[in-house]
Amino acid sequence: MPARIPYINHFITGKKTTGEYLRMQEWMGKFYLKDFFCKFDQINNFGRFLEIGSGPGYQTTLVKEKYQPRELIGLEYSTDMIRVAEEYCWVKRISDNIKYIHGTVEDKSLIQSLGRFDLIYSTFSFHRWSDAIQGIDNLYKALNPNGILFLYDFYRGGLFYYLNVNRGLWESVRASYRPEDVRQMLTTLGIENYFIRHKGLYMDLVVKKEG
Ligand SMILES: C[S@@+](CC[C@H](N)C(=O)[O-])C[C@H]1O[C@@H](n2cnc3c(N)ncnc32)[C@H](O)[C@@H]1O
């Protein structure tokens, strides 16, 4: 099994880098987030949403437009990303009911202070968390009854694990998890009601909290 090589710099910072990341998302997002949104359509939960590692806000605005959550909070550690995301939402005129919070998914008291959610989701951030088990535990506890946790990320394996065609992608794939890693984390936490799917370059986890 290809060994996991964790990230050293977990967060994406710098005004130039975060602006470039948004431009990359605008250019390629419809393509690489297509499968994520297909899955999101099936989940079909409404109400209060929490997005982890919201980055420059591109997918936040798509989620807001498409699913009209009552409230949407983006949690992000990079203040540069938050600045770009807030500006992007303002330009798109969809800032209503969207709030960005500075912090990490591992911060138990911060997550607790945000209240309960009907849907917690994340795209391409899970592999960067410094403590994935703590992160999942915090998020699971922040779900309302029947609430859903949906983590969408890369899968560790395949050609991109070995081929350094794009440094960012290569490092991300190498730092990502495999279904067996995630299963082990969920067993440690005593979480049983979940579904893990691996599809090509991607892997996702859906956890449902019993009502
Ligand atoms: C690769 S970007 C993904 C951005 C966006 N979600 C997307 O799909 O393109 C990962 C983001 O997660 C943030 N991040 C990484 N670890 C985090 C943590 N432990 N808590 C909160 N945000 C984190 C990074 O700062 C970065 O903005």
Side-chain angles (χ1 to χ4, degrees), residues 67-113:
Y67 305 97
Q68 297 294 324
R70 194 171 71 243
E71 189 186 8
L72 174 42
I73 294 180
L75 180 84
E76 169 58 59
Y77 184 74
S78 164
T79 49
D80 292 320
M81 282 292 198
I82 291 181
R83 218 166 297 132
V84 174
E86 285 175 340
E87 199 179 303
Y88 187 64
C89 287
W90 187 79
V91 169
K92 289 257 163 191
R93 296 174 188 275
I94 56 156
S95 306
D96 285 0
N97 305 331
I98 296 185
K99 192 160 72 184
Y100 288 101
I101 305 271
H102 174 235
T104 70
V105 70
E106 292 88 359
D107 186 337
K108 192 175 170 178
S109 53
L110 172 66
I111 303 290
Q112 267 174 2
S113 74

Side-chain angles (χ1 to χ4, degrees), residues 10-12 21 25 32-33 51-55 59 75-78 81 103-106 123-125 128-129:
H10 299 275
F11 312 113
I12 300 180
Y21 196 98
Q25 284 194 306
Y32 80 82
L33 289 169
E51 179 178 329
I52 306 295
S54 38
Q59 67 292 328
L75 180 84
E76 169 58 59
Y77 184 74
S78 164
M81 282 292 198
T104 70
V105 70
E106 292 88 359
T123 55
F124 305 108
S125 169
R128 288 177 176 260
W129 301 356

